[in-house]
Amino acid sequence: MRKEGRKRRKRKDDKRRVVVSNLPFEGWSLRENPNQQYCGNQIKTSKYTALSFLPKNVFEQLHRFANLYFVGIVILNFIPVVSAFQPGLSVIPVCVILAVTAIKDAWEDLRRYQSDKVINNQECFVYSRKQQRYVQRCWKDVRVGDFIQMQCNEIIPADTLLLFSSDPSGICHLETANLDGETNLKQRCVVRGFSQQELQFQPEHFCNTIVCEKPNNHLNKFKGYMEHPDQTRTGFGSESLLLRGCTIRNTEVAVGIVIYAGHDTKAMLNNSGPRYKRSKIERRMNTDIFFCIGLLFLMCLIGAVGHGLWNRNFEEHPPFDVPDADGHYLPLALGGFYMFLTMIILLQVLIPISLYVSIELVKLGQVFFLHNDLDLYDEETDLSIQCRALNITEDLGQIQYIFSDKTGTLTENKMVFRRCSIMGREYCHQENAKRLETPKELDSDNEEWTQYRCLSFPARWTQGPATMRSQGGAQPLRRCHSARVPIQGHSRQRSVGRRESSQPPVAFSSSIEKDVTPDKNLLTKVQDAALWLETLSDARPPKSSHSTTSSIADFFLALTICNSVMVSTTTEPRQRVTIPPSSKALGMSLEKIQQLFQRLKLMSLSQSFSSTAPSDTDLGESFGANMPPTDSDEKDDASVYSGDCSTDGGYRSSTWDQGDILGSESGASLEEVPGAPALSLTSPEFCYEAESPDEAALVHAAHAYSFTLVSRTPEQVTVRLPQGTCLTFDLLFTLGFDSVRKRMSVVVRHPLTGEIIVYTKGADSVIMDLLEDPAHVADIDVEKKLKKIHARTQKHLDLYARDGLRTLCVAKKVVSEEDFRRWASFRREAEASLDNRDELLMETAQRLENQLTLLGATGIEDRLQEGVPDTIASLREAGIKLWVLTGDKQETAVNIAYSCRLLDQTDTVYSINTENQETCESILNCALEEVKQFQEPQKSGCKLFGFRLPSKTPSPTTRAMAPEVGLVINGKTLNVIFQGKLEKLFLELTQYCRSVLCCRCTPLQKSMIVKLVRDKLGVMTLSIGDGANDVSMIQAADIGIGISGQEGMQAVMSSDFAISRFRHLKKLLLVHGHWCYSRLARMVVYFFYKNVCYVNLLFWYQFFCGFSGSTMIDYWQMIFFNLFFTSLPPIIFGILDKDVSAETLLALPELYKSGQNSENYNLSAFWISMADAFYQSLVCFFFPYLTYRGSDIDVFTFGTPINTISLITILLHQAMEMKTWTLVHGLVLLSSFLMYFVVSVVYNATCVTCNSPTNPYWVMENQLSDPTFYLVCFLTPVAALLPRYFFLSLQGTYGKTPISKAQKIDQLPIEKRNLEIQNWRSKLRPATTPGAAQPTHGPVPPVPEQDFRTSTPKSSSPPKRKHVEDWVFRGQRSSREHGRDGPCSGDFAAQLSSGEHLLGPNRTPAPRACSREQTDVSRPLTRGSHRRSQSSLTI
């Protein structure tokens, strides 16, 4: 029992790390330090040392089968009885190949070693007990348990637990760009109990024990606790861990204790180095090498049998058959076996040893040209394409499926506040929509300022956010002022490996994101709500939480407070703003506030339309007394000040605050302003550092209504109200956002009422389920009002989603003191626990976030990237299927799909939403049966679960009359499919769909979908994304592409290629992908042809030399032949050849299908080239044989013409395969030809006794003086290449393949070429037939997103269809009030049992259509709706 107990404790301890201070053990031996078992901080990413390089590198290279094969041949050649060549000579080719690869590996490892040396020798400050101060040490000398001191702009040397910060609030700011590429700052706080230190931290007084989890690679997960000497525990998490590689910002001094060092740090555990992927061509090549091995064994077997048969013809032993020392002769069988081994040595070149090295060089050349393509360079981000995996460039030309994220990949990830709903009332912000109609911001700030100067502004806006006050007048606020002002107050130390020329820009702060034009109806209500806020006090209880005024105030307070945004200014960017709460504001009487406000309003009336000199005015002018007192949402969409606004919508609230402060010209001093912050008239603009663009958009929106976030500390958050009053809320708890809860909450104490309030924002699908049930309210009127508010808000959410907006719900809850005290105790226990900490934290969050009161909802627009619709249309024409895997809600994703042409308005769209396995299976079966009536699978020849799908191609008339099908499915349904073993059925249905849209997907589901399609269909897949949630999907695909966007660089770091815009994918695949595949595939086939052709010459000679294993070509010539004479032309061919021009490939995307079908390199192409090689070798051998037959020439005189003819034939064959001829191609071919003659002449002239007894002395010189040699060298290549030339001529003249047609078009003049391309594209588009759904062919000019919303008039009705009606299935999912699987499920089962046709045509939705998605399908098209499918089916 004791042993079992010890084992259990040991297993438990294995999951933990215990860290104590090193100071008590300073000066002791290392063994006596309890931290000695942990890894040191020295890192080593290099693989070799000076001693281990040679054996280790050779061992690694022998893992490649071809290298192992050739080393075995070399060893075999040292056995005298089977040697075919001089043993020393046979080592040379292998050594050259291994040496080239070894030099490359050594160079790469040397660079890694130098980088490690620089990092390990960086210095930091470590506390020494002997010297009683922090001393400088190298990073490599830091140990777990050391106390290190870090200063501003220094890089953190190891994963450190934060114990002290010079910030009074115990906050330390990090920039994690080195780790994940994100430029926005992260906040880290000291461990609880250490934040109240006024003096410097004293490491010697630290006597606590730290217990935390073992090292792992989760960057955002960390848990542990600190055990004090009195046995009490304090919990901590990732919010207190400083990660190695991050940079300290905006914090003078930070001190911490090292928890993980060296290779145990999270940064190093995530640095797995470049990943090795095997390309499809390499897999195919390995198969063909085994074919070559089989061919080699067959030829060797023929040689062995022939040797035995030859010797059997002699009655006596021939004179060349030498006995052994005992006078015995070898038996025929043993002699045949020895000859078999000799033939393997002789014909070894059949396996192309130089092919692998040539492929690596070709891929390096291809990557070089990829990097230097200006079309793949983005000026805005100053980034070009990055190739992180050098060995799969050719796979870019064979992609069949693309899996794409939506946010940040198809869209800009620039979140723009568009609309909101408060207490069931919708505010459409039409003026803001007008401002956003401008497709692109002006690049020139001077031009922008010139336009503004031509307009007349109200006084408030003239001093507003678009200008900066200076002595010389107002100047435009340039982007550099808000983003690139250098840090002040600190002398920056250069951070190794980072460009320090300028401060990184503030994330999510472009003018399009910051500027929000307020809604005129909401503006007046916000003013009333702000005044109402100041009437609150402890003695005067607030109104009912369901009143409109209080809800508006709480709504904007929630937008301002419920986030993790850090506040700084442009003059001191990233310097946190802290403004102490003003007691004066809270003590001011209401009468004084009202008098001041009335006076300011009267002044506003006289100045609102004035075009005089700008003046500093108060909020009253910004609200504008001339505003029409209307409450209707249906008024015209004119701007609030249409005659006085700038061209981009007028009110520019780009977080400038001096306009919110009273100026002396208004007749009021700063002292008269209630609670005005102590800022000067030239106070700088606030910069908001947000961790996500959604948070930034909501804070900017609140600021547009003058609810301004002024400062944030771990304990308090300060908000300035429209009238200038500052309210400081005590921040009691923050429950951060996570992908499981899908919401964020803050618990604050209201400064006026003293109430404890929980503000929550999150996904509508989550928040709506956490609201207080109206049925539990005692008051019937309140119950009706709540139900009405919930129903209207849900309607608005659906409207926002159909408009393609990202939706969030905002809610609140008032908690009693007793309930909060009890909950806080549970929360602290959960934070201090190490086991099941995440589950306990989740449980405590769920206890708090319930019975919420709905405040409203927001709609944020994420705009499409430029060129996305055109790119998607081109990729679809290229035969690539595009799936979008997103975490967004279904309506939003579907609308974006329509905007980017993923779905077409004529498509039949199936939407499947269910959580029941039997229901899901029935739906999939019925949908599949329905679709099969109209069309066959779009992709033929795919393997599904090991079986090849039907390859029947529908007739053009059937294809034209059949509707295109799209599939929309959510994450819960995907769970049912994966858990219920319905993958085969699901994949079969997707084969009939032009597009698949998966909504509400988790990162794990994304990777599971990619693996499912890749493995079960056996297709080439590509995943593209920009965020950390896309990493698993990117790594699961054959090719992963990361977009360096707004969400950091985690996707880029895990990708094979990195681009900056989705539109770059078009040229990357259609042009570079096609070229890389075409070049490499034809080069590999050529290599196999070349080696087989040359080796067969030696094989044919065996029939005339008694299968003795001798050769008619000098061995040095054979070595030079492969290493020098014929090696360079294929490499140049693989780098520079272009079978079709880039312009034609972009104009005709269907040419990409040649790579998908592996037309250039497949089984038939391989065996055709083998047959051609056999034929050419026969001609090259027997023409000289018949010419010199009967003569008395020696063996090398016979072999030299054969060697020369084979060289000419192989080079001319290469020339015939080249589709592009440049000066480089010509020079390389000519130099290879001339090099052969020069080397041969010099070698034959100097080699007198090189290869005794037969020497090639003066053989080439004699041949060059013989006219027969020239005649044979001219006629033989012609005869050998005639069939190939004839075949290529027929293919070029009568070829019907798209590639051959495109090559002909490329030869035409530009005008005729463009005309031919237009004719080609017009033939691809099927004729328009009434009622027939037409697939979208060809890249139509992209339409701005706004155009889609107004393109369908209200009165328009969908055209009649002959074959497909509007289907609406009576869904199986009930509404929220009736549960998930309510009466609809039973009705669905009844339909199945009665044998009725499941998908019957129906013009109107069934009365009991359950979910809101179902009711949206047949809703009439209205303005602002993106749902345009004439044939939609929601299941």
Side-chain angles (χ1 to χ4, degrees):
M1 292 296 292
R2 290 181 179 178
K3 290 183 179 179
E4 290 181 2
R6 283 197 298 269
K7 288 182 179 178
R8 281 197 297 269
R9 283 195 299 272
K10 187 176 182 180
R11 283 196 298 268
K12 193 173 181 180
D13 291 341
D14 285 343
K15 299 179 181 178
R16 301 181 178 186
R17 166 172 286 203
V18 180
V19 178
V20 297
S21 169
N22 281 341
L23 296 182
F25 309 98
E26 188 174 338
W28 293 23
S29 65
L30 191 61
R31 293 182 179 179
E32 297 175 349
N33 190 330
N35 297 326
Q36 58 87 20
Q37 56 182 315
Y38 303 132
C39 177
N41 203 41
Q42 182 174 5
I43 63 168
K44 180 178 181 292
T45 60
S46 58
K47 294 193 295 185
Y48 310 112
T49 64
L51 294 177
S52 68
F53 172 73
L54 195 59
K56 197 171 182 180
N57 186 262
V58 171
F59 178 75
E60 287 181 351
Q61 291 200 55
L62 292 182
H63 278 73
R64 183 170 280 174
F65 175 76
N67 291 342
L68 188 63
Y69 163 80
F70 280 103
V71 169
I73 295 295
V74 169
I75 296 173
L76 195 64
N77 200 44
F78 275 89
I79 302 175
V81 73
V82 297
S83 63
F85 307 110
Q86 295 181 18
L89 294 180
S90 63
V91 178
I92 294 176
V94 179
C95 288
V96 170
I97 298 300
L98 295 180
V100 170
T101 307
I103 291 171
K104 179 179 73 71
D105 292 342
W107 170 251
E108 291 177 353
D109 202 62
L110 179 63
R111 294 174 62 187
R112 285 192 291 263
Y113 168 77
Q114 292 172 343
S115 174
D116 292 344
K117 187 176 180 181
V118 170
I119 292 174
N120 287 328
N121 288 294
Q122 289 186 92
E123 293 185 338
C124 63
F125 288 97
V126 179
Y127 190 82
S128 171
R129 190 182 65 171
K130 291 182 178 179
Q131 302 186 33
Q132 298 288 311
R133 62 184 179 89
Y134 290 95
V135 296
Q136 279 194 341
R137 284 189 193 166
C138 293
W139 279 23
K140 62 183 179 182
D141 299 325
V142 174
R143 304 283 305 179
V144 172
D146 283 346
F147 292 92
I148 57 176
Q149 183 187 74
M150 298 151 286
Q151 298 178 357
C152 189
N153 301 326
E154 285 187 351
I155 298 178
I156 301 167
D159 289 356
T160 306
L161 188 67
L162 184 61
L163 299 177
F164 172 79
S165 172
S166 58
D167 189 291
S169 307
I171 287 293
C172 177
H173 298 290
L174 292 184
E175 181 185 279
T176 59
N178 281 351
L179 209 58
D180 57 17
E182 297 183 14
T183 56
N184 51 312
L185 297 188
K186 311 291 192 305
Q187 293 185 2
R188 297 292 182 264
C189 57
V190 302
V191 178
R192 190 183 298 114
F194 290 82
S195 57
Q196 305 299 327
Q197 306 172 67
E198 297 182 0
L199 302 175
Q200 281 287 337
F201 175 73
Q202 299 295 328
E204 292 188 33
H205 296 162
F206 184 87
C207 302
N208 305 324
T209 301
I210 297 170
V211 181
C212 61
E213 60 189 2
K214 285 285 186 178
N216 57 64
N217 61 351
H218 299 297
L219 291 175
N220 299 316
K221 289 185 179 181
F222 175 68
K223 58 186 178 182
Y225 62 83
M226 187 178 292
E227 189 170 318
H228 303 285
D230 58 359
Q231 303 301 314
T232 59
R233 293 181 178 181
T234 301
F236 51 76
S238 59
E239 71 280 353
S240 300
L241 186 66
L242 309 181
L243 297 181
R244 176 191 175 108
C246 298
T247 306
I248 302 289
R249 300 290 191 203
N250 304 347
T251 308
E252 293 289 347
V253 176
V255 177
I257 184 171
V258 176
I259 302 295
Y260 306 125
H263 289 276
D264 285 345
T265 59
K266 293 182 180 290
M268 293 302 297
L269 291 174
N270 274 277
N271 183 17
S272 57
R275 294 165 23 254
Y276 183 80
K277 288 185 177 181
R278 292 175 59 205
S279 67
K280 188 176 181 180
I281 283 185
E282 187 175 345
R283 296 194 296 269
R284 170 81 253 177
M285 193 172 68
N286 287 341
T287 303
D288 290 340
I289 283 180
F290 279 103
F291 284 137
C292 289
I293 292 175
L295 188 62
L296 174 65
F297 272 74
L298 178 62
M299 296 167 69
C300 294
L301 186 62
I302 293 173
V305 173
H307 177 75
L309 295 176
W310 179 282
N311 285 335
R312 183 177 293 179
N313 293 330
F314 294 97
E315 295 179 358
E316 295 181 1
H317 291 285
F320 54 81
D321 191 4
V322 181
D324 59 15
D326 299 332
H328 300 293
Y329 291 91
L330 285 175
L332 288 179
L334 185 58
F337 174 72
Y338 285 159
M339 182 50 59
F340 180 87
L341 299 178
T342 303
M343 291 289 289
I344 287 179
I345 299 172
L346 181 69
L347 307 178
Q348 59 177 303
V349 189
L350 190 67
I351 311 299
I353 186 174
S354 58
L355 175 59
Y356 290 100
V357 175
S358 300
I359 286 176
E360 288 187 6
L361 295 175
V362 165
K363 289 181 178 179
L364 285 175
Q366 292 176 347
V367 167
F368 173 80
F369 286 106
L370 265 175
H371 272 295
N372 288 276
D373 189 344
L374 291 179
D375 291 336
L376 301 180
Y377 168 77
D378 184 61
E379 289 188 29
E380 184 179 345
T381 57
D382 191 27
L383 292 173
S384 61
I385 184 173
Q386 301 176 39
C387 300
R388 302 172 57 83
L390 304 181
N391 54 324
I392 55 172
T393 53
E394 67 274 20
D395 280 349
L396 291 170
Q398 300 178 277
I399 299 301
Q400 295 163 286
Y401 278 75
I402 291 179
F403 300 90
S404 173
D405 180 38
K406 181 185 75 68
T407 304
T409 303
L410 300 179
T411 60
E412 290 279 5
N413 203 16
K414 290 183 178 179
M415 305 304 176
V416 183
F417 182 84
R418 286 296 305 269
R419 311 174 81 162
C420 68
S421 171
I422 305 176
M423 294 298 287
R425 177 71 182 274
E426 208 270 331
Y427 302 95
C428 58
H429 289 74
Q430 291 183 357
E431 296 85 357
N432 196 45
K434 276 191 170 185
R435 177 184 68 85
L436 295 171
E437 286 178 1
T438 307
K440 202 170 185 180
E441 299 177 57
L442 289 173
D443 291 330
S444 172
D445 291 313
N446 290 329
E447 291 179 13
E448 192 174 351
W449 178 237
T450 303
Q451 290 184 0
Y452 291 156
R453 289 179 62 185
C454 298
L455 304 171
S456 103
F457 294 89
R460 156 93 162 105
W461 282 300
T462 310
Q463 179 58 29
T467 59
M468 291 178 62
R469 279 289 171 189
S470 64
Q471 292 181 355
Q475 292 293 330
L477 173 64
R478 298 179 182 271
R479 278 185 280 274
C480 62
H481 293 148
S482 63
R484 298 187 183 275
V485 177
I487 285 185
Q488 299 180 5
H490 299 294
S491 58
R492 297 191 59 173
Q493 300 179 8
R494 183 170 183 81
S495 301
V496 176
R498 291 188 49 79
R499 184 176 58 188
E500 296 291 338
S501 59
S502 63
Q503 176 71 11
V506 176
F508 320 128
S509 60
S510 67
S511 60
I512 195 172
E513 296 172 281
K514 295 195 299 183
D515 301 349
V516 178
T517 306
D519 185 277
K520 57 185 179 182
N521 296 320
L522 183 57
L523 205 54
T524 54
K525 297 181 180 180
V526 171
Q527 177 184 354
D528 296 337
L531 289 173
W532 169 82
L533 266 178
E534 297 219 358
T535 66
L536 299 179
S537 65
D538 294 331
R540 181 177 178 180
K543 290 185 184 180
S544 166
S545 60
H546 305 304
S547 69
T548 302
T549 303
S550 64
S551 296
I552 290 176
D554 280 324
F555 178 82
F556 282 100
L557 283 175
L559 295 189
T560 311
I561 294 173
C562 189
N563 52 62
S564 58
V565 173
M566 192 194 82
V567 188
S568 59
T569 61
T570 51
T571 55
E572 292 184 342
R574 297 187 166 175
Q575 303 301 307
R576 187 171 52 77
V577 176
T578 54
I579 297 181
S582 173
S583 58
K584 180 180 180 181
L586 306 181
M588 184 167 288
S589 68
L590 178 63
E591 289 77 15
K592 188 169 183 180
I593 296 173
Q594 290 176 336
Q595 290 173 7
L596 183 58
F597 230 90
Q598 190 65 29
R599 182 171 57 175
L600 295 175
K601 277 190 175 182
L602 292 173
M603 294 178 61
S604 169
L605 280 171
S606 63
Q607 295 180 355
S608 59
F609 289 101
S610 172
S611 59
T612 58
S615 62
D616 298 314
T617 55
D618 184 42
L619 173 87
E621 295 168 350
S622 72
F623 286 149
N626 57 338
M627 192 174 295
T630 176
D631 262 2
S632 174
D633 285 337
E634 306 300 326
K635 296 294 182 183
D636 62 69
D637 56 353
S639 179
V640 182
Y641 297 103
S642 59
D644 302 307
C645 295
S646 63
T647 55
D648 66 346
Y651 181 80
R652 295 170 58 86
S653 70
S654 52
T655 62
W656 269 74
D657 296 304
Q658 69 265 37
D660 294 336
I661 305 168
L662 293 174
S664 58
E665 299 176 15
S666 307
S669 66
L670 277 173
E671 285 73 15
E672 294 179 276
V673 181
L679 298 174
S680 66
L681 289 176
T682 57
S683 76
E685 173 189 359
F686 281 147
C687 292
Y688 293 132
E689 291 271 0
E691 292 191 11
S692 72
D694 300 77
E695 280 193 342
L698 294 179
V699 174
H700 291 311
H703 177 80
Y705 288 94
S706 298
F707 274 77
T708 305
L709 177 62
V710 175
S711 70
R712 176 183 298 277
T713 69
E715 290 82 19
Q716 292 180 332
V717 56
T718 303
V719 180
R720 192 169 67 222
L721 303 182
Q723 59 268 34
T725 303
C726 283
L727 296 182
T728 299
F729 294 80
D730 290 334
L731 200 55
L732 304 179
F733 273 96
T734 299
L735 309 182
F737 179 88
D738 62 67
S739 58
V740 179
R741 288 169 44 249
K742 297 183 179 178
R743 58 188 180 271
M744 175 188 181
S745 297
V746 293
V747 186
V748 297
R749 186 180 298 277
H750 201 288
L752 300 180
T753 64
E755 291 180 318
I756 296 176
I757 302 177
V758 180
Y759 288 115
T760 303
K761 70 175 182 186
D764 57 303
S765 59
V766 174
I767 299 296
M768 297 299 283
D769 291 336
L770 298 175
L771 299 179
E772 181 183 9
D773 189 355
H776 295 162
V777 179
D779 192 337
I780 299 179
D781 294 335
V782 174
E783 178 184 353
K784 291 181 178 178
K785 184 176 182 180
L786 285 178
K787 287 184 177 179
K788 187 176 180 181
I789 290 172
H790 293 180
R792 283 186 174 181
T793 304
Q794 187 61 63
K795 181 180 178 182
H796 297 153
L797 287 168
D798 296 339
L799 173 68
Y800 296 167
R802 286 198 301 274
D803 277 348
L805 304 182
R806 296 164 63 90
T807 55
L808 283 175
C809 281
V810 182
K812 67 171 284 191
K813 176 183 179 180
V814 179
V815 184
S816 67
E817 291 282 352
E818 180 62 30
D819 290 343
F820 173 73
R821 195 178 300 111
R822 192 181 308 113
W823 177 86
S825 175
F826 292 151
R827 181 72 180 183
R828 291 191 180 95
E829 287 180 10
E831 289 176 343
S833 64
L834 191 60
D835 298 326
N836 302 322
R837 184 173 188 265
D838 295 336
E839 292 79 1
L840 292 173
L841 290 176
M842 180 69 67
E843 183 182 349
T844 58
Q846 290 172 349
R847 287 191 183 185
L848 186 69
E849 297 167 332
N850 53 36
Q851 301 297 311
L852 302 175
T853 300
L854 182 65
L855 298 176
T858 61
I860 299 175
E861 180 183 20
D862 188 7
R863 313 183 81 183
L864 274 181
Q865 288 188 22
E866 181 185 354
V868 167
D870 177 58
T871 301
I872 290 178
S874 297
L875 294 176
R876 180 173 284 125
E877 274 192 86
I880 300 174
K881 284 193 174 184
L882 185 65
W883 291 28
V884 173
L885 314 179
T886 177
D888 274 357
K889 67 181 298 183
Q890 183 167 314
E891 292 86 347
T892 305
V894 167
N895 248 280
I896 294 295
Y898 278 116
S899 300
C900 66
R901 296 192 206 166
L902 187 69
L903 296 175
D904 192 72
Q905 56 184 350
T906 59
D907 289 353
T908 299
V909 179
Y910 293 82
S911 299
I912 305 179
N913 303 292
T914 182
E915 297 179 53
N916 184 279
Q917 180 179 336
E918 295 179 359
T919 304
C920 182
E921 184 175 5
S922 302
I923 292 172
L924 290 173
N925 279 316
C926 295
L928 190 59
E929 180 183 348
E930 192 72 36
V931 176
K932 283 182 177 179
Q933 298 177 7
F934 295 98
Q935 55 184 318
E936 292 295 326
Q938 292 188 358
K939 179 64 180 175
S940 60
C942 288
K943 287 185 178 179
L944 178 59
F945 290 83
F947 299 98
R948 189 167 293 277
L949 291 173
S951 57
K952 179 181 176 182
T953 304
S955 63
T957 54
T958 306
R959 176 67 60 88
M961 300 174 70
E964 294 283 359
V965 177
L967 177 63
V968 180
I969 194 167
N970 66 3
K972 293 179 179 178
T973 310
L974 287 173
N975 277 338
V976 174
I977 289 173
F978 285 120
Q979 294 171 5
K981 307 298 181 183
L982 302 177
E983 297 98 330
K984 182 177 180 180
L985 200 59
F986 169 67
L987 284 180
E988 189 176 357
L989 176 60
T990 62
Q991 292 299 296
Y992 296 87
C993 302
R994 65 179 284 179
S995 301
V996 178
L997 187 62
C998 301
C999 313
R1000 299 294 195 191
C1001 285
T1002 64
L1004 180 61
Q1005 284 178 329
K1006 290 183 179 182
S1007 64
M1008 290 173 67
I1009 291 171
V1010 174
K1011 291 176 182 176
L1012 177 70
V1013 173
R1014 184 196 65 192
D1015 298 336
K1016 302 303 181 184
L1017 295 183
V1019 293
M1020 293 293 293
T1021 57
L1022 180 148
S1023 293
I1024 179 170
D1026 72 319
N1029 59 332
D1030 303 317
V1031 168
S1032 57
M1033 173 180 75
I1034 287 172
Q1035 291 178 336
D1038 293 296
I1039 287 186
I1041 295 186
I1043 291 187
S1044 49
Q1046 300 270 320
E1047 294 191 20
M1049 300 292 286
Q1050 288 193 42
V1052 169
M1053 290 190 295
S1054 62
S1055 66
D1056 304 308
F1057 299 88
I1059 56 179
S1060 52
R1061 290 289 183 267
F1062 183 83
R1063 68 174 185 269
H1064 293 164
L1065 197 61
K1066 179 179 178 181
K1067 187 171 186 183
L1068 180 63
L1069 295 185
L1070 302 187
V1071 178
H1072 289 288
H1074 174 85
W1075 282 347
C1076 289
Y1077 165 74
S1078 174
R1079 293 162 174 168
L1080 203 65
R1082 290 186 290 145
M1083 189 197 81
V1084 170
V1085 173
Y1086 175 78
F1087 253 98
F1088 282 118
Y1089 148 80
K1090 174 174 72 77
N1091 284 41
V1092 171
C1093 181
Y1094 192 69
V1095 163
N1096 276 344
L1097 299 175
L1098 306 178
F1099 179 69
W1100 303 134
Y1101 181 68
Q1102 300 308 307
F1103 288 88
F1104 301 93
C1105 70
F1107 297 97
S1108 60
S1110 59
T1111 65
M1112 72 291 192
I1113 302 173
D1114 182 75
Y1115 190 64
W1116 279 105
Q1117 290 277 23
M1118 294 171 61
I1119 292 174
F1120 291 156
F1121 189 92
N1122 274 315
L1123 288 183
F1124 302 114
F1125 303 150
T1126 60
S1127 60
L1128 193 56
I1131 293 175
I1132 298 300
F1133 170 76
I1135 295 175
L1136 298 178
D1137 194 63
K1138 299 177 183 179
D1139 56 345
V1140 184
S1141 65
E1143 295 77 11
T1144 306
L1145 288 171
L1146 288 173
L1148 301 171
E1150 55 271 17
L1151 298 176
Y1152 184 81
K1153 294 178 182 178
S1154 65
Q1156 292 175 332
N1157 301 329
S1158 300
E1159 293 178 2
N1160 290 321
Y1161 182 30
N1162 49 38
L1163 195 60
S1164 60
F1166 172 76
W1167 286 113
I1168 288 174
S1169 67
M1170 292 296 99
D1172 196 17
F1174 268 87
Y1175 165 77
Q1176 292 185 22
S1177 65
L1178 281 170
V1179 173
C1180 290
F1181 179 83
F1182 283 99
F1183 267 50
Y1185 170 75
L1186 296 174
T1187 301
Y1188 294 104
R1189 185 180 183 182
S1191 64
D1192 57 351
I1193 60 173
D1194 62 88
V1195 65
F1196 282 159
T1197 304
F1198 171 63
T1200 299
I1202 295 177
N1203 199 34
T1204 307
I1205 290 167
S1206 64
L1207 175 74
I1208 296 173
T1209 303
I1210 287 171
L1211 292 179
L1212 289 178
H1213 184 104
Q1214 174 78 87
M1216 292 166 64
E1217 290 295 319
M1218 288 182 179
K1219 307 300 180 184
T1220 303
W1221 275 94
T1222 64
L1223 183 62
V1224 177
H1225 290 80
L1227 287 176
V1228 167
L1229 285 173
L1230 186 60
S1231 61
S1232 296
F1233 181 72
L1234 294 178
M1235 185 192 298
Y1236 167 75
F1237 282 98
V1238 171
V1239 171
S1240 297
V1241 168
V1242 173
Y1243 172 66
N1244 288 178
T1246 56
C1247 185
V1248 179
T1249 57
C1250 296
N1251 195 15
S1252 183
T1254 55
N1255 293 297
Y1257 180 70
W1258 216 251
V1259 171
M1260 179 58 79
E1261 285 78 359
N1262 292 331
Q1263 288 287 354
L1264 291 176
S1265 62
D1266 183 7
T1268 306
F1269 173 78
Y1270 294 100
L1271 185 62
V1272 171
C1273 289
F1274 176 76
L1275 293 178
T1276 306
V1278 172
L1281 295 172
L1282 197 59
R1284 164 71 57 172
Y1285 180 77
F1286 182 68
F1287 172 75
L1288 292 177
S1289 300
L1290 288 178
Q1291 191 180 48
T1293 307
Y1294 302 105
K1296 299 298 182 182
T1297 63
I1299 293 293
S1300 60
K1301 291 180 182 178
Q1303 290 170 350
K1304 295 176 187 176
I1305 290 176
D1306 268 341
Q1307 307 302 321
L1308 300 175
I1310 296 179
E1311 296 78 7
K1312 289 185 178 181
R1313 182 173 63 185
N1314 294 336
L1315 183 62
E1316 285 294 327
I1317 290 175
Q1318 290 178 6
N1319 293 337
W1320 185 329
R1321 297 182 62 78
S1322 63
K1323 292 177 183 177
L1324 290 174
R1325 296 189 180 95
T1328 305
T1329 57
Q1334 302 177 31
T1336 304
H1337 284 291
V1340 185
V1343 184
E1345 186 180 348
Q1346 293 87 344
D1347 295 347
F1348 284 104
R1349 299 189 180 132
T1350 57
S1351 59
T1352 308
K1354 292 182 181 180
S1355 60
S1356 66
S1357 60
K1360 296 180 179 179
R1361 304 173 60 90
K1362 292 182 181 179
H1363 301 278
V1364 183
E1365 299 290 340
D1366 286 348
W1367 292 314
V1368 176
F1369 173 60
R1370 299 177 183 182
Q1372 75 287 352
R1373 215 179 64 174
S1374 64
S1375 61
R1376 287 183 200 281
E1377 292 80 5
H1378 297 89
R1380 288 290 178 190
D1381 292 293
C1384 291
S1385 298
D1387 185 59
F1388 175 76
Q1391 286 188 20
L1392 287 181
S1393 61
S1394 62
E1396 294 180 7
H1397 196 269
L1398 178 65
L1399 304 177
N1402 206 334
R1403 276 290 173 188
T1404 58
R1408 62 182 182 277
C1410 298
S1411 65
R1412 64 178 184 272
E1413 290 86 0
Q1414 295 163 8
T1415 59
D1416 289 342
V1417 173
S1418 56
R1419 185 176 296 171
L1421 292 172
T1422 58
R1423 179 176 182 179
S1425 173
H1426 272 213
R1427 192 172 298 263
R1428 296 177 303 283
S1429 34
Q1430 297 174 5
S1431 178
S1432 295
L1433 173 66
T1434 300
I1435 303 175

